[in-house]
Amino acid sequence: MAIDERPQVSNGAAPHDDAAPLTGRALTTVFAALMLGMFLAALDQTIVSTALPTIVGDLGGLNHLSWVVTSYLLASTVSTPIYGKLGDMYGRKPVFLAAIIIFLVGSMLAGLSQSMAELIAFRFLQGAGAGGLMVSAQAIIADIVPPRQRGRYMGLIGSVFAVASVAGPLLGGFFVDQISWRWVFYVNLPIGVLAILIVIFKLHLHTPQTRHRIDYIGATLLTGGVGALILLTTWGGTQYAWGSPVIVGLGVAGVVLLAAFVWQETRAAEPIVPLKLFRSSVFNVSSAMGATIGMAMFGAIIFIPLYLQLVYGVSATQSGLRMLPLMLGLLVAAIASGRAISRMGRYRVFPIAGTGTLVVGMFLLSRLGVDTAPWLASLYMLIVGVGIGLVMQVLVLVVQNDAQPENIGVATSTATFFRSMGGSFGVALFGAIFAARLADQLAHFPRAVVDRLGSGVQLSPAEADRLPPGIHADFLDAFAHALHGVFLCGMAIAIIPFVLSWFLKEVPLRTTLGRRPSELSVEEAAGGGTPPEQFVEV
């Protein structure tokens, strides 16, 4: 006789396979709370940058400045797969609430910081919560909205990142100029409390009641390995030379720890990242696409504000406003593609179109020069935004539709993890390319000029503006030439996900929250499984 080992539900709730989707005002209210949570995490990736000079002036510790950003990135990335697994094990709602609380506590303490060391520590705590906000919100949507209808909501999630990218620098500048840099962190508190109240009273999800064993060894190995590689990409070529013992040591440690993690996952009773996920070609192709798109997108786009500030002479805040075309393209494309997917029930055309558009956009960005008209630069950024909007959130939907319900959280978090790691490597790769090309261009400049300008991604627009007119013009030409190589490399990397997109299988989108009849085991099918009338193939 077969034993049903599926998680049971307390308070008479239906099992996950038979869960009824939310509709109407209830869905709108809950989705608003999820978007608020994701907005907080996305906002804190950008809002701090504008305030950093003021923070250093108040707290000191200029030599530790980069850690204010690195600590947040490190914690949010390494915690992502762990949150996904915890959500599958203990339920999305308690894990999402825990993530919000951790994030808000970190925000409050960061605002109260009296030293740079305290701020770095509390930013790490913030990042530990942010990783859960990102993953849990997307996994909850997978619990309450069937894949066929989920496309439109994934498009709205993509718009959250677009809005946060623009709002972050603007809000940061406003708080620094009008109130205090501490409100960069305090602003999270009322938004987070509102999200908590909505989730507590309006979101009702099943909570697994079976006992679980946490893979502490796997979690430790994963955290150590990913942390070493992130530090390698963050420090390499900036604080330490690429061939220095520190960077080499971090690379070796990262590879060894991750290899040990994979070995641990083969023997763990409940692995943090089930290796069976990689048996699916859909998951493998989607994850590879996410990682390479992350490399091209994050690695190349970080240089656009620098171009705007140096060539057009605008401030950091104004450069954020000038990137509105990119965000507008992302916003419109994400929402439109999401609605189209829900209407058609098919998704494969959008990753193909999106990656193809991204390749074209990266090529156009490589044509940016000193004499490029602002409207033309805006058009190029719009095209890049459209490409990103057509593909990024669609990949999350593809992974969720392919995964079994009990693995939705870990599948979502693993795909998000690959994208974050791709972005980290992209920033390091393009930073090294830019620094090398610029160094070649500046080789004929007077030594004193090079010392004033710095190198690589540490260029100071203010220092460049103080150069004599003739040298300033030559420098801008050298800068533009170095930038061409960055965007051409971004184009070359964007070709990889474009090719991969043609190998992405078109799996029909489910119209219910359960599994397809073909995915049920023999025992589940014999015991009833998901009622056939609750599932309609598209």
Side-chain angles (χ1 to χ4, degrees):
M1 182 178 67
I3 299 176
D4 186 2
E5 296 181 342
R6 287 178 294 173
Q8 300 302 309
V9 184
S10 60
N11 301 325
H16 189 286
D17 281 353
D18 303 332
L22 289 179
T23 56
R25 181 177 297 179
L27 176 58
T28 301
T29 303
V30 169
F31 186 72
L34 300 179
M35 290 185 71
L36 286 176
M38 295 196 69
F39 179 73
L40 289 175
L43 185 69
D44 261 65
Q45 292 179 341
T46 57
I47 194 173
V48 175
S49 59
T50 310
L52 282 178
T54 305
I55 292 174
V56 170
D58 192 4
L59 300 181
L62 178 62
N63 55 327
H64 300 301
L65 179 64
S66 63
W67 273 103
V68 177
V69 177
T70 301
S71 60
Y72 185 90
L73 172 67
L74 178 63
S76 60
T77 303
V78 300
S79 64
T80 296
I82 297 173
Y83 274 112
K85 182 61 178 179
L86 291 177
D88 287 337
M89 291 170 62
Y90 299 110
R92 317 275 186 237
K93 181 174 178 178
V95 171
F96 185 61
L97 287 173
I100 295 180
I101 292 172
I102 292 171
F103 181 84
L104 294 183
V105 170
S107 298
M108 181 181 66
L109 293 175
L112 295 172
S113 298
Q114 300 301 311
S115 69
M116 188 62 77
E118 290 182 1
L119 179 59
I120 291 170
F122 298 142
R123 282 283 288 170
F124 186 88
L125 185 62
Q126 259 193 310
L133 291 177
M134 295 280 194
V135 171
S136 298
Q138 295 183 89
I140 288 173
I141 294 172
D143 276 348
I144 62 179
V145 181
R148 178 64 184 266
Q149 284 77 46
R150 202 178 300 157
R152 69 186 66 179
Y153 298 99
M154 287 300 181
L156 291 173
I157 284 178
S159 70
V160 169
F161 292 94
V163 172
S165 298
V166 175
L170 297 179
L171 282 176
F174 172 79
F175 287 132
V176 169
D177 294 337
Q178 303 299 326
I179 308 177
S180 166
W181 65 263
R182 299 182 185 276
W183 275 92
V184 165
F185 304 106
Y186 293 152
V187 70
N188 297 325
L189 300 179
I191 302 175
V193 169
L194 177 61
I196 287 176
L197 292 176
I198 295 176
V199 170
I200 289 177
F201 295 107
K202 297 295 184 179
L203 179 62
H204 305 289
L205 298 174
H206 82 288
T207 300
Q209 299 299 308
T210 56
R211 290 189 176 185
H212 296 278
R213 295 170 61 185
I214 301 178
D215 181 16
Y216 293 105
I217 297 177
T220 302
L221 292 172
L222 177 64
T223 301
V226 173
L229 294 182
I230 289 179
L231 290 178
L232 181 151
T233 57
T234 303
W235 288 347
T238 54
Q239 290 185 252
Y240 301 95
W242 283 108
S244 66
V246 172
I247 298 301
V248 173
L250 286 172
V252 172
V255 171
V256 170
L257 289 172
L258 289 181
F261 167 73
V262 173
W263 175 78
Q264 169 64 19
E265 297 305 270
T266 62
R267 54 192 297 273
E270 296 194 41
I272 295 293
V273 178
L275 298 184
K276 63 182 179 181
L277 290 175
F278 296 94
R279 298 173 187 169
S280 166
S281 64
V282 172
F283 179 83
N284 292 336
V285 171
S286 299
S287 298
M289 288 180 64
T292 47
I293 290 173
M295 288 183 68
M297 180 179 71
F298 294 115
I301 290 178
I302 61 169
F303 290 95
I304 295 180
L306 186 59
Y307 168 83
L308 296 173
Q309 292 174 49
L310 282 170
V311 174
Y312 298 131
V314 301
S315 66
T317 302
Q318 289 173 328
S319 69
L321 288 174
R322 291 204 178 204
M323 288 189 69
L324 280 174
L326 190 149
M327 305 310 162
L328 179 63
L330 194 159
L331 179 72
V332 173
I335 294 176
S337 62
R339 289 183 174 275
I341 289 171
S342 294
R343 185 173 62 253
M344 299 187 308
R346 298 188 177 278
Y347 56 77
R348 185 168 175 264
V349 63
F350 296 101
I352 294 174
T355 51
T357 304
L358 183 60
V359 170
V360 173
M362 285 295 179
F363 171 76
L364 292 175
L365 288 181
S366 73
R367 312 315 299 165
L368 289 175
V370 177
D371 299 324
T372 302
W375 71 267
L376 195 56
S378 296
L379 176 62
Y380 295 168
M381 287 187 279
L382 177 68
I383 293 172
V384 171
V386 169
I388 296 171
L390 286 174
V391 65
M392 286 304 289
Q393 292 307 313
V394 176
L395 293 179
V396 177
L397 171 62
V398 169
V399 168
Q400 291 179 341
N401 182 64
D402 182 65
Q404 294 186 0
E406 64 269 19
N407 289 324
I408 285 287
V410 71
T412 303
S413 64
T414 305
T416 304
F417 166 77
F418 281 120
R419 183 175 65 187
S420 298
M421 288 299 296
S424 298
F425 283 115
V427 170
L429 173 64
F430 294 142
I433 292 172
F434 179 68
R437 289 177 62 90
L438 186 61
D440 291 339
Q441 293 294 311
L442 297 181
H444 64 280
F445 278 59
R447 177 74 179 183
V449 173
V450 177
D451 291 340
R452 287 175 60 184
L453 289 173
S455 62
V457 294
Q458 302 300 322
L459 275 171
S460 170
E463 288 291 336
D465 288 340
R466 298 192 194 102
L467 293 172
I471 295 180
H472 183 259
D474 290 340
F475 165 72
L476 290 183
D477 286 335
F479 167 79
H481 188 274
L483 203 59
H484 292 167
V486 171
F487 291 125
L488 283 175
C489 182
M491 183 193 74
I493 292 178
I495 291 175
I496 298 175
F498 175 69
V499 173
L500 288 173
S501 66
W502 292 91
F503 295 92
L504 186 64
K505 292 182 179 179
E506 181 83 72
V507 179
L509 295 175
R510 295 192 297 263
T511 58
T512 69
L513 299 174
R515 285 173 283 178
R516 297 180 179 81
S518 60
E519 295 176 329
L520 296 176
S521 66
V522 175
E523 292 83 359
E524 288 175 324
T530 301
E533 64 272 13
Q534 290 192 4
F535 182 84
V536 180
E537 285 282 4
V538 180

